Amino acid sequence: MADIRHANKNGREVLTVSGSLTVKHAKALNAALLEAVRSAPAVEVDVENIDDVDISFAQLVCSAHRMAADLNKQMTITGLEQERFSRMLGRFGFFRHIGCHESTRKSCLWLHGQEAP
């Protein structure tokens, strides 16, 4: 089961997600991400206590980040250092050296190991 909690900290929407972050919970995760991006000028996705994670979660976060960038909003993610999450991102090629879209080139959530040009 995915656990999704919302909090507002100084005008920033903090979406804390834990548990099972898999395709089985994609609908709920997507709805939470979209609502967070729509409702605040800045969104932080805090990933904690992962039981299971698959590529669907990374894809949803990436899509929400592109939406935020298109709306001139800021989105960040914390908790990437968790071993399960980090392994999954690496295995599926999500870690990048430059952003994949012009509007997210410098703010790509998956930049790893160096700053974007």
Side-chain angles (χ1 to χ4, degrees):
M1 174 167 204
D3 181 30
I4 305 166
R5 291 173 278 144
H6 296 264
N8 189 297
K9 295 182 182 175
N10 301 323
R12 181 179 194 85
E13 181 73 14
V14 178
L15 186 65
T16 304
V17 294
S18 59
S20 180
L21 308 178
T22 62
V23 70
K24 182 177 179 180
H25 305 288
K27 186 175 181 180
L29 290 165
N30 188 51
L33 286 164
L34 292 177
E35 178 60 29
V37 170
R38 288 184 183 125
S39 69
V43 176
E44 176 183 340
V45 179
D46 183 7
V47 180
E48 63 175 33
N49 301 321
I50 297 171
D51 294 330
D52 196 14
V53 64
D54 65 20
I55 195 169
S56 67
F57 179 72
Q59 290 169 328
L60 290 172
V61 170
C62 188
S63 177
H65 180 248
R66 285 184 181 201
M67 178 181 164
D70 288 346
L71 295 172
N72 294 315
K73 296 183 177 194
Q74 180 186 22
M75 185 171 175
T76 58
I77 188 166
T78 57
L80 294 178
E81 68 281 353
Q82 291 183 64
E83 189 175 339
R84 279 186 180 173
F85 198 66
S86 183
R87 256 194 334 246
M88 183 274 301
L89 289 173
R91 186 172 57 241
F92 291 112
F94 268 82
F95 285 132
R96 307 177 67 83
H97 296 289
I98 61 169
C100 59
H101 186 269
E102 192 58 42
S103 66
T104 59
R105 183 168 298 281
K106 293 186 180 185
S107 66
C108 181
L109 299 173
W110 315 124
L111 289 176
H112 184 69
Q114 69 182 37
E115 292 296 316

